[in-house]
Amino acid sequence: MGEFDLIARYFKRPVRRSPLGVGDDCALLAPAPGMQLAVSTDLLIEGRHFLSTVDPRRLGHKCLAVNLSDLAACGARPLAFTLGLSLPQADEAWLAPFAQGLLALADEHGCELVGGDTTRGPLVISITIFGEVPAGQALLRSGAQAGDEIWVSGHLGDARLALEVFRGTRAVPQAVFESARARMELPTPRVALGLALRGLASAAIDVSDGLVGDLGHVLAASGVGATLRTEAVATLPALAEAMTPQDRLDFALAGGDDYELAFTAPAAAHEAVQAAGRSCGTALTCIGQIEAAPGLRLVDAEGQPVARAVTAFDHFA
Ligand code: ADP
Ligand code: MG
């Protein structure tokens, strides 16, 4: 199978919303009038972002999910994406399930594959995604204000449990491992929540490198600090029963690979935020508040400071 057969077979699909898809030198997109384009790129490299043994269908899902998660964090509606693919060989037993996992999630979100590039090389997958958001309404990292509440969607820390089991530092029953592994390999991008938070959240980010690090980006961009309640944070892992109390807190604070949204909203919008979560069926947990004093503080149920050395993931640290 040659390069062009491969593209035609697995990645060339008729477009519905975009004026031009795969097959020409460029794709054409048509954002609606008054909309801004939201654009994001993610690279996934074998051995760094995923294990070589991962199910290719799950990998296809995850590659797009991490990009959809970036659109969600900006409150943008997905339009289309391009796929850069470097493959060691044209292995149909890998390509077919990879394309299925990728395109099933794309269809779920009405996000069309409109182009890409395919070469031979180490296994690397790079997706650039395009979404649209009404001009001026994108959720940014820079809007958090003192007094705002800090919220997290869904669950945090379960993907980290799976990673630690893979690393051999933790042991859990098989069923727990499969659940944790599904959280790591099949993240759910919170696209509907991102849309529902437009006009409500003051700042937002998706949690990919761990809550402390990602929330830290919001604090830095907004020029504020925050206090987190550890007893609320420790409830975030879905698989908390399989973790020690310390792991619950540490994995939720610094786990990574969660692809939930962390966002801030004025305290006066508390009920409206809860209603937004209900409207899209996503659990939301209020875990702390934004303060003028810079830095991130942790307090226990009695309001006493909690000391925890947590560091965010950094590819070059
Ligand atoms: P060019 O030489 O202009 O880069 P290519 O020959 O690489 O074009 O690609 C031919 C067409 O196939 C283009 O429309 C390109 O966007 C599309 N394409 C290439 N690789 C992929 C891929 N992995 N997924 C989707 N479309 C792809
Ligand atoms: Mg090319």
Side-chain angles (χ1 to χ4, degrees):
M1 188 176 45
E3 175 187 337
F4 299 103
D5 297 330
L6 184 163
I7 295 166
R9 182 124 176 213
Y10 295 107
F11 302 118
K12 185 177 169 101
R13 302 210 310 168
V15 284
R16 292 193 200 91
R17 304 165 71 195
S18 309
L20 185 63
V22 170
D24 214 306
D25 294 308
C26 291
L28 296 174
L29 303 183
M35 294 291 197
Q36 289 175 328
L37 268 186
V39 182
S40 177
T41 298
D42 272 296
L43 261 180
L44 277 88
I45 299 175
E46 180 173 21
R48 179 147 296 274
H49 300 96
F50 58 91
L51 304 168
S52 53
T53 51
V54 70
D55 172 5
R57 189 184 314 266
R58 288 185 166 198
L59 183 61
H61 172 103
K62 182 162 179 175
C63 291
L64 186 60
V66 302
N67 283 272
L68 286 165
S69 179
D70 284 317
L71 290 187
C74 286
R77 186 182 297 283
L79 282 178
F81 68 103
T82 59
L83 173 65
L85 206 49
S86 164
L87 297 169
Q89 68 263 326
D91 174 4
E92 300 206 49
W94 187 90
L95 276 162
F98 173 81
Q100 275 167 16
L102 178 82
L103 296 174
L105 185 64
D107 288 345
E108 208 180 294
H109 291 276
C111 189
E112 300 183 310
L113 176 55
V114 294
D117 201 20
T118 307
T119 75
R120 187 190 290 272
L123 182 54
V124 176
I125 302 146
S126 175
I127 288 179
T128 296
I129 198 163
F130 304 85
E132 63 178 14
V133 59
Q137 287 187 35
L139 304 176
L140 306 180
R141 299 178 178 186
S142 53
Q145 301 213 345
D148 286 354
E149 292 177 323
I150 302 168
W151 296 83
V152 172
S153 68
H155 297 283
L156 293 184
D158 303 297
R160 177 62 178 274
L161 177 62
L163 179 64
E164 295 302 333
V165 174
F166 274 121
R167 284 174 169 164
T169 71
R170 302 291 188 286
V172 295
Q174 189 65 23
V176 172
F177 174 60
E178 289 305 333
S179 300
R181 183 179 188 170
R183 287 282 299 158
M184 178 167 86
E185 295 177 347
L186 290 170
T188 304
R190 301 299 186 185
V191 175
L193 178 64
L195 297 178
L197 290 176
R198 276 186 200 159
L200 210 50
S202 49
I205 192 166
D206 69 317
V207 182
S208 52
D209 294 335
L211 176 65
V212 165
D214 289 322
L215 186 60
H217 296 312
V218 169
L219 302 183
S222 300
V224 293
T227 293
L228 298 183
R229 292 186 302 273
T230 54
E231 100 275 12
V233 172
T235 66
L236 290 171
L239 302 168
E241 279 178 24
M243 302 177 194
T244 64
Q246 178 149 346
D247 279 356
R248 277 174 212 165
L249 182 57
D250 289 348
F251 291 2
L253 284 173
D257 257 354
D258 301 297
Y259 300 100
E260 296 291 352
L261 296 186
F263 60 94
T264 61
H270 189 93
E271 305 299 324
V273 167
Q274 285 181 320
R278 279 194 301 275
S279 75
C280 43
T282 305
L284 299 178
T285 308
C286 182
I287 56 167
Q289 79 265 340
I290 298 292
E291 292 156 354
L296 183 64
R297 294 161 286 278
L298 302 175
V299 296
D300 65 16
E302 279 77 49
Q304 296 303 308
V306 175
R308 256 302 185 290
V310 281
T311 45
F313 185 75
D314 179 334
H315 278 286
F316 294 102

